[in-house]
Amino acid sequence: MYVNGNFSKLSKNYLFTEIAARIKRYETQTGKKALRLSVGDVVYPLPSVVVQAMIRAAKEMGKASTFRGYGEERGYAFLRQAVAADYERRGVFVDADDVFISDGAKSDCGNLTELFSEKNTVLLPDPVYPVYFDSSVLSGKKTAFFRADEKTGYLPMPNEKTRADVIYLCSPNNPTGAAYSREQLAQWVAYANGRGAVILYDASYAAFIDEAQAREGIARSIYEIEGAKSCAIEISSFSKSAGFTGVRCAYSIVPSALKRNGVSLKEAWARRQATKFNGVSYVTQRAAEAALSAEGRDKNAEIVKKYMGNARILKDTLRRNGCTCTGGEFAPYIWCKRPFGKSDDEFFDGLLYGAGIACTPGYGFGKGGAGYFRFSAFCFEEAAKEAAVLIDAFFKKHAVESQRL
Ligand code: MLT
């Protein structure tokens, strides 16, 4: 018997499991509660229209006449159509039949690697959401990296040397908050179509791009680009846009036009899902449908604004304390150069034990993230304001102490 040897190529713990353990250790040792600006987990409760939809659906499940057993593996038509209608409102045509409902963008980002042979090279931005790397490695793929650093504006572009079969793009980006323009994405689409590569486009944070930014050319979907349906799968989620991190619902769009070596990736994905997945619960899908209703959209848009307001508070605070940071414009993540400390871990501990604030150390998102840390603005406004006071005091104390040395 042989265990999948690829596990040995991963760090011992998944990034956010490790951070949670360190926060727990701090809280146990000090008896204090950390202010969590680490994992991007939502805090605002679900809008009433969503909760009411869940209650109605749960009641249907309690009556013989409306009870439902297995649903369609790819999701109920009512939700797939609601997703397609949501794209249509943004001027993008998506066929409801190409939409596959799932329990999370994380699962899809990992599972979609099963579509591709081990012979492929997967190109990953560095730094980026660690799930792409971990899943590619676990499924035995070769990985290559392109730097998403200050020099590339955190948005790397293909060039004549780029060699990739599968490319993960995350826009707005986790962790840097940078977002591709339509013009930039058009270059990626041309590259992928020209080479026969496939783009896995993670648009989980698209709802944080506002109307004005979209008008100015920032893309909310890769399908805004002509030709994208023959080279890209788009993954998106209700987690961050509708407060569903605990409810669990997302989707991937695998267009009918996407074929490689005569194989329809849509048919392959449908086959994979039918074998390994029994769909998302009816109650959850009704909740997601309600999140896409006019009322659901309005209420969630208010919450999105609150998170972006928190991002402004945190970014302003870091900047007035002399930090170099980016992000907070298209996603509620602030990506900041580590201002002091010999390592990301030393800074993480310093901030946690010195100010009671948990961040995410940059190296957790890849080698290219070393020397940075990320703040998540998925918190209540009061927490962002409290963090601002604590950060000011932390930097003041550090300045005094370093003068003494
Ligand atoms: C993050 O903090 O990067 C995200 O919450 C992780 C996730 O969405 O799985």
Side-chain angles (χ1 to χ4, degrees):
M1 207 291 284
Y2 301 96
V3 173
N4 180 352
N6 295 318
F7 278 102
S8 66
K9 299 178 189 158
L10 301 183
S11 55
K12 183 160 179 282
N13 290 325
Y14 176 61
L15 173 62
F16 293 107
T17 312
E18 174 66 29
I19 300 300
R22 289 199 213 169
I23 296 173
K24 197 164 167 212
R25 201 177 312 135
Y26 160 81
E27 291 182 340
T28 311
Q29 282 170 359
T30 62
K32 294 181 194 159
K33 207 138 185 56
L35 218 157
R36 291 167 192 243
L37 304 181
S38 44
V39 67
D41 194 4
V42 294
V43 294
Y44 284 100
L46 299 170
S48 157
V49 63
V50 172
V51 176
Q52 290 311 317
M54 290 172 102
I55 292 171
R56 271 197 312 276
K59 284 187 176 158
E60 284 179 47
M61 294 298 280
K63 278 205 285 189
S65 57
T66 46
F67 172 79
R68 293 170 190 244
Y70 289 127
E72 274 188 73
E73 302 93 6
R74 61 168 68 191
Y76 286 105
F78 65 78
L79 182 53
R80 289 189 279 111
Q81 280 156 9
V83 169
D86 197 45
Y87 275 82
E88 203 178 333
R89 271 188 293 275
R90 293 187 263 142
V92 176
F93 175 76
V94 161
D95 188 338
D97 196 58
D98 295 348
V99 177
F100 292 76
I101 306 299
S102 75
D103 69 334
K106 186 190 216 172
S107 328
D108 282 357
C109 285
N111 294 335
L112 280 161
T113 58
E114 287 183 29
L115 287 177
F116 310 106
S117 145
E118 284 173 24
K119 291 180 203 139
N120 290 309
T121 297
V122 181
L123 186 62
L124 304 150
D126 181 17
V128 84
Y129 185 38
V131 170
Y132 312 154
F133 173 75
D134 288 7
S135 321
S136 303
V137 167
L138 279 180
S139 64
K141 312 280 190 298
K142 291 188 282 291
T143 50
F145 301 92
F146 53 118
R147 275 298 174 101
D149 55 11
E150 227 177 337
K151 270 195 223 135
T152 55
Y154 301 98
L155 296 167
M157 299 301 301
N159 60 38
E160 58 293 341
K161 290 197 202 123
T162 310
R163 297 278 173 274
D165 306 300
V166 180
I167 304 147
Y168 277 100
L169 296 180
C170 178
S171 180
N173 187 270
N174 178 11
T176 67
Y180 281 110
S181 67
R182 283 189 276 281
E183 224 172 89
Q184 289 171 312
L185 275 190
Q187 291 180 47
W188 274 113
V189 166
Y191 170 83
N193 277 327
R195 197 182 146 82
V198 174
I199 298 172
L200 297 178
Y201 189 78
D202 184 352
S204 296
Y205 297 91
F208 294 88
I209 297 169
D210 67 27
E211 290 301 324
Q213 292 166 335
R215 271 197 304 277
E216 280 160 21
I218 302 296
R220 287 192 281 206
S221 162
I222 196 161
Y223 302 127
E224 290 170 30
I225 315 302
E226 215 184 310
K229 287 197 179 131
S230 55
C231 68
I233 294 175
E234 181 157 305
I235 302 145
S236 199
S237 165
F238 292 87
S239 282
K240 314 293 158 102
S241 59
F244 270 44
T245 55
V247 180
R248 309 306 310 151
C249 197
Y251 55 87
S252 286
I253 298 166
V254 191
S256 310
L258 181 52
K259 299 202 166 98
R260 290 292 178 267
N261 306 328
V263 177
S264 154
L265 294 194
K266 175 181 169 182
E267 280 170 25
W269 186 238
R271 181 71 182 81
R272 187 268 176 209
Q273 291 295 79
T275 297
K276 295 198 180 181
F277 188 58
N278 261 336
V280 176
S281 81
Y282 175 65
V283 175
T284 295
Q285 293 194 56
R286 281 294 184 200
E289 180 193 31
L292 292 177
S293 68
E295 191 181 340
R297 294 198 313 275
D298 284 353
K299 295 281 184 240
N300 283 319
E302 284 168 26
I303 298 174
V304 158
K305 274 199 193 127
K306 287 185 191 173
Y307 290 133
M308 293 309 278
N310 295 342
R312 268 190 298 280
I313 294 173
L314 296 172
K315 192 170 169 183
D316 289 350
T317 306
L318 289 164
R319 283 193 165 163
R320 76 168 165 263
N321 283 291
C323 294
T324 306
C325 39
T326 184
E329 277 176 68
F330 309 113
Y333 290 131
I334 313 297
W335 185 241
C336 192
K337 270 195 187 154
R338 191 181 76 226
F340 45 80
K342 285 193 206 76
S343 67
D344 292 355
D345 279 334
E346 190 180 293
F347 182 77
F348 174 89
D349 283 341
L351 191 65
L352 185 57
Y353 286 83
I357 297 175
C359 65
T360 305
Y363 71 82
F365 298 97
K367 285 197 183 102
Y372 286 79
F373 68 94
R374 189 196 75 176
F375 268 166
S376 155
F378 285 105
C379 60
F380 292 111
E381 191 183 346
E382 301 71 40
K385 288 184 175 159
E386 190 190 341
V389 174
L390 294 169
I391 293 164
D392 283 341
F394 175 72
F395 276 89
K396 207 163 152 193
K397 189 161 168 252
H398 179 264
V400 172
E401 279 169 4
S402 30
Q403 262 176 9
R404 260 199 233 123
L405 292 174

